[in-house]
Amino acid sequence: MLDFPSRLASASGSMKDFQLYASAYVIHVVTFWIFGLLFLVLDVLRPQWTLRFKCQPGKYPSAGLVGKVARNVAVNQVTTHVAVFLGAFPLARRRLDFSAELPCMAVACRDLVLFVVLTELEFFFIHRALHLPDLYRRVHKVHHEVTQPFGLCALYFHPFEHAISSLQSFVPALLLGSHIVVLQVWIAVATAMVVIHHSGYDWEPYVPDSMWPFRSMTQQHDFH
């Protein structure tokens, strides 16, 4: 019987390049809504054990705000995100590795570490630019309308910022020429983490999310 990596490689080899590429988008959408809705359930039910993790105790999003945010995200995901993803496919087809042979664990881990570094660099410079007066007023202010973060607001953006965010997720893989499966893993992890960072819950130390002497990413975002 084939071991799991061999079965995965075989499945990857049987799919067309575009199907593999499109599956990365599906992974992003499914991961986002699973994690976003799980945190929304916590906000609605407010179980006692979660209260000590809440960044802003006693503050929860209203039904109206949740609906507004959910509509914004859903519309952007089926319009802006799809347009960016499709537009980038010709470049992705040239730069990404769609072969049936999976990379070794060392290469996959190396790429994932570099994804983190490159994404942080991207985020720093792009986020600084978005806080320039004109861009903040016209674009980034939308994201800051939510002053009590909850999971779904992670992707509550002006369409222009949503397009930038969509590009950020796979630019490191394009630069490195990574395998599509490594990109899929990265998109799942990165999407889950960005929802956690906007959830309004700081799960330290159970979910390590900080580097001394800085506070956790969730606390930093809540303060920001």
PDB file of all heavy atoms in Angstrom, residues 10-35:
ATOM      1  N   SER A  10       0.473  11.237  -5.893  1.00  0.00           N
ATOM      2  CA  SER A  10      -0.289  10.646  -6.977  1.00  0.00           C
ATOM      3  C   SER A  10      -1.545  11.453  -7.271  1.00  0.00           C
ATOM      4  O   SER A  10      -1.894  11.700  -8.433  1.00  0.00           O
ATOM      5  CB  SER A  10      -0.675   9.204  -6.618  1.00  0.00           C
ATOM      6  OG  SER A  10      -1.454   8.627  -7.639  1.00  0.00           O
ATOM      7  N   ALA A  11      -2.217  11.903  -6.211  1.00  0.00           N
ATOM      8  CA  ALA A  11      -3.425  12.711  -6.392  1.00  0.00           C
ATOM      9  C   ALA A  11      -3.086  14.037  -7.048  1.00  0.00           C
ATOM     10  O   ALA A  11      -3.798  14.518  -7.931  1.00  0.00           O
ATOM     11  CB  ALA A  11      -4.100  12.943  -5.043  1.00  0.00           C
ATOM     12  N   SER A  12      -1.969  14.655  -6.616  1.00  0.00           N
ATOM     13  CA  SER A  12      -1.546  15.923  -7.196  1.00  0.00           C
ATOM     14  C   SER A  12      -1.237  15.765  -8.679  1.00  0.00           C
ATOM     15  O   SER A  12      -1.571  16.622  -9.493  1.00  0.00           O
ATOM     16  CB  SER A  12      -0.307  16.453  -6.469  1.00  0.00           C
ATOM     17  OG  SER A  12      -0.603  16.735  -5.127  1.00  0.00           O
ATOM     18  N   GLY A  13      -0.600  14.640  -9.023  1.00  0.00           N
ATOM     19  CA  GLY A  13      -0.224  14.430 -10.411  1.00  0.00           C
ATOM     20  C   GLY A  13      -1.415  14.232 -11.325  1.00  0.00           C
ATOM     21  O   GLY A  13      -1.326  14.471 -12.527  1.00  0.00           O
ATOM     22  N   SER A  14      -2.546  13.790 -10.748  1.00  0.00           N
ATOM     23  CA  SER A  14      -3.721  13.528 -11.573  1.00  0.00           C
ATOM     24  C   SER A  14      -4.563  14.784 -11.816  1.00  0.00           C
ATOM     25  O   SER A  14      -5.519  14.745 -12.571  1.00  0.00           O
ATOM     26  CB  SER A  14      -4.594  12.457 -10.908  1.00  0.00           C
ATOM     27  OG  SER A  14      -5.153  12.950  -9.703  1.00  0.00           O
ATOM     28  N   MET A  15      -4.230  15.856 -11.172  1.00  0.00           N
ATOM     29  CA  MET A  15      -4.997  17.089 -11.302  1.00  0.00           C
ATOM     30  C   MET A  15      -4.307  18.048 -12.270  1.00  0.00           C
ATOM     31  O   MET A  15      -3.083  18.081 -12.363  1.00  0.00           O
ATOM     32  CB  MET A  15      -5.171  17.765  -9.936  1.00  0.00           C
ATOM     33  CG  MET A  15      -5.960  16.956  -8.930  1.00  0.00           C
ATOM     34  SD  MET A  15      -6.051  17.769  -7.319  1.00  0.00           S
ATOM     35  CE  MET A  15      -7.161  19.126  -7.681  1.00  0.00           C
ATOM     36  N   LYS A  16      -5.093  18.806 -12.973  1.00  0.00           N
ATOM     37  CA  LYS A  16      -4.560  19.824 -13.857  1.00  0.00           C
ATOM     38  C   LYS A  16      -3.959  20.956 -13.025  1.00  0.00           C
ATOM     39  O   LYS A  16      -4.346  21.178 -11.880  1.00  0.00           O
ATOM     40  CB  LYS A  16      -5.671  20.374 -14.751  1.00  0.00           C
ATOM     41  CG  LYS A  16      -6.348  19.341 -15.632  1.00  0.00           C
ATOM     42  CD  LYS A  16      -5.423  18.825 -16.722  1.00  0.00           C
ATOM     43  CE  LYS A  16      -6.169  17.917 -17.685  1.00  0.00           C
ATOM     44  NZ  LYS A  16      -5.280  17.386 -18.730  1.00  0.00           N
ATOM     45  N   ASP A  17      -3.035  21.698 -13.616  1.00  0.00           N
ATOM     46  CA  ASP A  17      -2.396  22.802 -12.905  1.00  0.00           C
ATOM     47  C   ASP A  17      -3.425  23.787 -12.356  1.00  0.00           C
ATOM     48  O   ASP A  17      -3.330  24.235 -11.208  1.00  0.00           O
ATOM     49  CB  ASP A  17      -1.431  23.544 -13.835  1.00  0.00           C
ATOM     50  CG  ASP A  17      -0.224  22.711 -14.197  1.00  0.00           C
ATOM     51  OD1 ASP A  17      -0.091  21.596 -13.658  1.00  0.00           O
ATOM     52  OD2 ASP A  17       0.583  23.176 -15.023  1.00  0.00           O
ATOM     53  N   PHE A  18      -4.413  24.122 -13.174  1.00  0.00           N
ATOM     54  CA  PHE A  18      -5.390  25.115 -12.725  1.00  0.00           C
ATOM     55  C   PHE A  18      -6.239  24.585 -11.581  1.00  0.00           C
ATOM     56  O   PHE A  18      -6.603  25.335 -10.673  1.00  0.00           O
ATOM     57  CB  PHE A  18      -6.301  25.553 -13.874  1.00  0.00           C
ATOM     58  CG  PHE A  18      -7.291  26.609 -13.447  1.00  0.00           C
ATOM     59  CD1 PHE A  18      -6.888  27.922 -13.262  1.00  0.00           C
ATOM     60  CD2 PHE A  18      -8.616  26.278 -13.202  1.00  0.00           C
ATOM     61  CE1 PHE A  18      -7.782  28.895 -12.837  1.00  0.00           C
ATOM     62  CE2 PHE A  18      -9.514  27.254 -12.776  1.00  0.00           C
ATOM     63  CZ  PHE A  18      -9.102  28.556 -12.601  1.00  0.00           C
ATOM     64  N   GLN A  19      -6.548  23.304 -11.598  1.00  0.00           N
ATOM     65  CA  GLN A  19      -7.317  22.725 -10.498  1.00  0.00           C
ATOM     66  C   GLN A  19      -6.543  22.806  -9.190  1.00  0.00           C
ATOM     67  O   GLN A  19      -7.106  23.122  -8.137  1.00  0.00           O
ATOM     68  CB  GLN A  19      -7.666  21.274 -10.810  1.00  0.00           C
ATOM     69  CG  GLN A  19      -8.682  21.099 -11.922  1.00  0.00           C
ATOM     70  CD  GLN A  19      -8.898  19.643 -12.281  1.00  0.00           C
ATOM     71  OE1 GLN A  19      -7.943  18.892 -12.523  1.00  0.00           O
ATOM     72  NE2 GLN A  19     -10.145  19.217 -12.312  1.00  0.00           N
ATOM     73  N   LEU A  20      -5.260  22.505  -9.263  1.00  0.00           N
ATOM     74  CA  LEU A  20      -4.419  22.616  -8.066  1.00  0.00           C
ATOM     75  C   LEU A  20      -4.339  24.050  -7.583  1.00  0.00           C
ATOM     76  O   LEU A  20      -4.406  24.331  -6.383  1.00  0.00           O
ATOM     77  CB  LEU A  20      -3.010  22.085  -8.370  1.00  0.00           C
ATOM     78  CG  LEU A  20      -2.873  20.577  -8.494  1.00  0.00           C
ATOM     79  CD1 LEU A  20      -1.530  20.220  -9.119  1.00  0.00           C
ATOM     80  CD2 LEU A  20      -3.019  19.917  -7.132  1.00  0.00           C
ATOM     81  N   TYR A  21      -4.200  24.961  -8.526  1.00  0.00           N
ATOM     82  CA  TYR A  21      -4.118  26.387  -8.194  1.00  0.00           C
ATOM     83  C   TYR A  21      -5.437  26.853  -7.588  1.00  0.00           C
ATOM     84  O   TYR A  21      -5.450  27.533  -6.562  1.00  0.00           O
ATOM     85  CB  TYR A  21      -3.795  27.163  -9.457  1.00  0.00           C
ATOM     86  CG  TYR A  21      -3.639  28.656  -9.279  1.00  0.00           C
ATOM     87  CD1 TYR A  21      -2.528  29.188  -8.619  1.00  0.00           C
ATOM     88  CD2 TYR A  21      -4.587  29.529  -9.802  1.00  0.00           C
ATOM     89  CE1 TYR A  21      -2.377  30.556  -8.475  1.00  0.00           C
ATOM     90  CE2 TYR A  21      -4.443  30.905  -9.664  1.00  0.00           C
ATOM     91  CZ  TYR A  21      -3.340  31.412  -9.001  1.00  0.00           C
ATOM     92  OH  TYR A  21      -3.189  32.774  -8.861  1.00  0.00           O
ATOM     93  N   ALA A  22      -6.557  26.491  -8.204  1.00  0.00           N
ATOM     94  CA  ALA A  22      -7.868  26.903  -7.710  1.00  0.00           C
ATOM     95  C   ALA A  22      -8.154  26.329  -6.333  1.00  0.00           C
ATOM     96  O   ALA A  22      -8.839  26.959  -5.519  1.00  0.00           O
ATOM     97  CB  ALA A  22      -8.954  26.483  -8.699  1.00  0.00           C
ATOM     98  N   SER A  23      -7.613  25.134  -6.053  1.00  0.00           N
ATOM     99  CA  SER A  23      -7.849  24.530  -4.747  1.00  0.00           C
ATOM    100  C   SER A  23      -7.234  25.363  -3.626  1.00  0.00           C
ATOM    101  O   SER A  23      -7.721  25.344  -2.489  1.00  0.00           O
ATOM    102  CB  SER A  23      -7.305  23.100  -4.705  1.00  0.00           C
ATOM    103  OG  SER A  23      -5.890  23.086  -4.816  1.00  0.00           O
ATOM    104  N   ALA A  24      -6.178  26.124  -3.931  1.00  0.00           N
ATOM    105  CA  ALA A  24      -5.590  27.011  -2.919  1.00  0.00           C
ATOM    106  C   ALA A  24      -6.590  28.083  -2.517  1.00  0.00           C
ATOM    107  O   ALA A  24      -6.688  28.457  -1.340  1.00  0.00           O
ATOM    108  CB  ALA A  24      -4.308  27.642  -3.455  1.00  0.00           C
ATOM    109  N   TYR A  25      -7.339  28.598  -3.484  1.00  0.00           N
ATOM    110  CA  TYR A  25      -8.389  29.589  -3.199  1.00  0.00           C
ATOM    111  C   TYR A  25      -9.488  28.967  -2.339  1.00  0.00           C
ATOM    112  O   TYR A  25      -9.945  29.571  -1.362  1.00  0.00           O
ATOM    113  CB  TYR A  25      -8.973  30.128  -4.505  1.00  0.00           C
ATOM    114  CG  TYR A  25     -10.265  30.890  -4.330  1.00  0.00           C
ATOM    115  CD1 TYR A  25     -10.262  32.196  -3.856  1.00  0.00           C
ATOM    116  CD2 TYR A  25     -11.492  30.284  -4.621  1.00  0.00           C
ATOM    117  CE1 TYR A  25     -11.449  32.891  -3.684  1.00  0.00           C
ATOM    118  CE2 TYR A  25     -12.678  30.966  -4.445  1.00  0.00           C
ATOM    119  CZ  TYR A  25     -12.657  32.279  -3.977  1.00  0.00           C
ATOM    120  OH  TYR A  25     -13.834  32.957  -3.798  1.00  0.00           O
ATOM    121  N   VAL A  26      -9.889  27.755  -2.702  1.00  0.00           N
ATOM    122  CA  VAL A  26     -10.937  27.066  -1.937  1.00  0.00           C
ATOM    123  C   VAL A  26     -10.478  26.833  -0.498  1.00  0.00           C
ATOM    124  O   VAL A  26     -11.242  27.025   0.460  1.00  0.00           O
ATOM    125  CB  VAL A  26     -11.310  25.727  -2.603  1.00  0.00           C
ATOM    126  CG1 VAL A  26     -12.288  24.939  -1.738  1.00  0.00           C
ATOM    127  CG2 VAL A  26     -11.912  25.980  -3.989  1.00  0.00           C
ATOM    128  N   ILE A  27      -9.224  26.427  -0.338  1.00  0.00           N
ATOM    129  CA  ILE A  27      -8.668  26.205   1.008  1.00  0.00           C
ATOM    130  C   ILE A  27      -8.730  27.493   1.818  1.00  0.00           C
ATOM    131  O   ILE A  27      -9.091  27.485   3.003  1.00  0.00           O
ATOM    132  CB  ILE A  27      -7.215  25.690   0.904  1.00  0.00           C
ATOM    133  CG1 ILE A  27      -7.215  24.244   0.413  1.00  0.00           C
ATOM    134  CG2 ILE A  27      -6.486  25.804   2.247  1.00  0.00           C
ATOM    135  CD1 ILE A  27      -5.842  23.732   0.019  1.00  0.00           C
ATOM    136  N   HIS A  28      -8.387  28.609   1.193  1.00  0.00           N
ATOM    137  CA  HIS A  28      -8.444  29.897   1.884  1.00  0.00           C
ATOM    138  C   HIS A  28      -9.865  30.206   2.349  1.00  0.00           C
ATOM    139  O   HIS A  28     -10.088  30.554   3.518  1.00  0.00           O
ATOM    140  CB  HIS A  28      -7.955  31.015   0.963  1.00  0.00           C
ATOM    141  CG  HIS A  28      -8.433  32.371   1.361  1.00  0.00           C
ATOM    142  ND1 HIS A  28      -7.946  33.036   2.470  1.00  0.00           N
ATOM    143  CD2 HIS A  28      -9.392  33.183   0.816  1.00  0.00           C
ATOM    144  CE1 HIS A  28      -8.562  34.194   2.590  1.00  0.00           C
ATOM    145  NE2 HIS A  28      -9.438  34.308   1.604  1.00  0.00           N
ATOM    146  N   VAL A  29     -10.825  30.100   1.461  1.00  0.00           N
ATOM    147  CA  VAL A  29     -12.211  30.451   1.794  1.00  0.00           C
ATOM    148  C   VAL A  29     -12.762  29.535   2.888  1.00  0.00           C
ATOM    149  O   VAL A  29     -13.358  30.007   3.874  1.00  0.00           O
ATOM    150  CB  VAL A  29     -13.103  30.382   0.532  1.00  0.00           C
ATOM    151  CG1 VAL A  29     -14.573  30.564   0.907  1.00  0.00           C
ATOM    152  CG2 VAL A  29     -12.687  31.451  -0.469  1.00  0.00           C
ATOM    153  N   VAL A  30     -12.558  28.239   2.730  1.00  0.00           N
ATOM    154  CA  VAL A  30     -13.084  27.281   3.712  1.00  0.00           C
ATOM    155  C   VAL A  30     -12.438  27.493   5.079  1.00  0.00           C
ATOM    156  O   VAL A  30     -13.126  27.520   6.113  1.00  0.00           O
ATOM    157  CB  VAL A  30     -12.864  25.835   3.227  1.00  0.00           C
ATOM    158  CG1 VAL A  30     -13.199  24.829   4.325  1.00  0.00           C
ATOM    159  CG2 VAL A  30     -13.714  25.563   1.985  1.00  0.00           C
ATOM    160  N   THR A  31     -11.124  27.664   5.113  1.00  0.00           N
ATOM    161  CA  THR A  31     -10.421  27.883   6.384  1.00  0.00           C
ATOM    162  C   THR A  31     -10.907  29.152   7.054  1.00  0.00           C
ATOM    163  O   THR A  31     -11.160  29.173   8.271  1.00  0.00           O
ATOM    164  CB  THR A  31      -8.898  27.966   6.156  1.00  0.00           C
ATOM    165  OG1 THR A  31      -8.440  26.782   5.507  1.00  0.00           O
ATOM    166  CG2 THR A  31      -8.161  28.135   7.486  1.00  0.00           C
ATOM    167  N   PHE A  32     -11.049  30.218   6.273  1.00  0.00           N
ATOM    168  CA  PHE A  32     -11.496  31.490   6.848  1.00  0.00           C
ATOM    169  C   PHE A  32     -12.860  31.366   7.517  1.00  0.00           C
ATOM    170  O   PHE A  32     -13.042  31.780   8.668  1.00  0.00           O
ATOM    171  CB  PHE A  32     -11.559  32.581   5.773  1.00  0.00           C
ATOM    172  CG  PHE A  32     -12.193  33.841   6.274  1.00  0.00           C
ATOM    173  CD1 PHE A  32     -11.456  34.751   7.028  1.00  0.00           C
ATOM    174  CD2 PHE A  32     -13.537  34.104   6.035  1.00  0.00           C
ATOM    175  CE1 PHE A  32     -12.046  35.901   7.528  1.00  0.00           C
ATOM    176  CE2 PHE A  32     -14.130  35.258   6.532  1.00  0.00           C
ATOM    177  CZ  PHE A  32     -13.384  36.157   7.282  1.00  0.00           C
ATOM    178  N   TRP A  33     -13.818  30.779   6.819  1.00  0.00           N
ATOM    179  CA  TRP A  33     -15.168  30.716   7.371  1.00  0.00           C
ATOM    180  C   TRP A  33     -15.278  29.715   8.514  1.00  0.00           C
ATOM    181  O   TRP A  33     -16.030  29.946   9.468  1.00  0.00           O
ATOM    182  CB  TRP A  33     -16.176  30.412   6.264  1.00  0.00           C
ATOM    183  CG  TRP A  33     -16.386  31.619   5.385  1.00  0.00           C
ATOM    184  CD1 TRP A  33     -15.851  31.844   4.149  1.00  0.00           C
ATOM    185  CD2 TRP A  33     -17.146  32.785   5.713  1.00  0.00           C
ATOM    186  NE1 TRP A  33     -16.232  33.087   3.680  1.00  0.00           N
ATOM    187  CE2 TRP A  33     -17.031  33.680   4.607  1.00  0.00           C
ATOM    188  CE3 TRP A  33     -17.909  33.162   6.807  1.00  0.00           C
ATOM    189  CZ2 TRP A  33     -17.660  34.924   4.590  1.00  0.00           C
ATOM    190  CZ3 TRP A  33     -18.551  34.410   6.789  1.00  0.00           C
ATOM    191  CH2 TRP A  33     -18.424  35.270   5.696  1.00  0.00           C
ATOM    192  N   ILE A  34     -14.532  28.638   8.471  1.00  0.00           N
ATOM    193  CA  ILE A  34     -14.560  27.698   9.599  1.00  0.00           C
ATOM    194  C   ILE A  34     -14.064  28.384  10.866  1.00  0.00           C
ATOM    195  O   ILE A  34     -14.728  28.363  11.911  1.00  0.00           O
ATOM    196  CB  ILE A  34     -13.729  26.434   9.290  1.00  0.00           C
ATOM    197  CG1 ILE A  34     -14.451  25.543   8.283  1.00  0.00           C
ATOM    198  CG2 ILE A  34     -13.451  25.646  10.582  1.00  0.00           C
ATOM    199  CD1 ILE A  34     -13.646  24.336   7.837  1.00  0.00           C
ATOM    200  N   PHE A  35     -12.893  29.000  10.796  1.00  0.00           N
ATOM    201  CA  PHE A  35     -12.335  29.645  11.983  1.00  0.00           C
ATOM    202  C   PHE A  35     -13.142  30.881  12.376  1.00  0.00           C
ATOM    203  O   PHE A  35     -13.384  31.125  13.567  1.00  0.00           O
ATOM    204  CB  PHE A  35     -10.862  30.005  11.754  1.00  0.00           C
ATOM    205  CG  PHE A  35      -9.912  28.873  11.983  1.00  0.00           C
ATOM    206  CD1 PHE A  35      -9.703  27.922  11.005  1.00  0.00           C
ATOM    207  CD2 PHE A  35      -9.236  28.737  13.193  1.00  0.00           C
ATOM    208  CE1 PHE A  35      -8.834  26.854  11.214  1.00  0.00           C
ATOM    209  CE2 PHE A  35      -8.369  27.684  13.422  1.00  0.00           C
ATOM    210  CZ  PHE A  35      -8.174  26.734  12.423  1.00  0.00           C
TER     211      PHE A  35
END
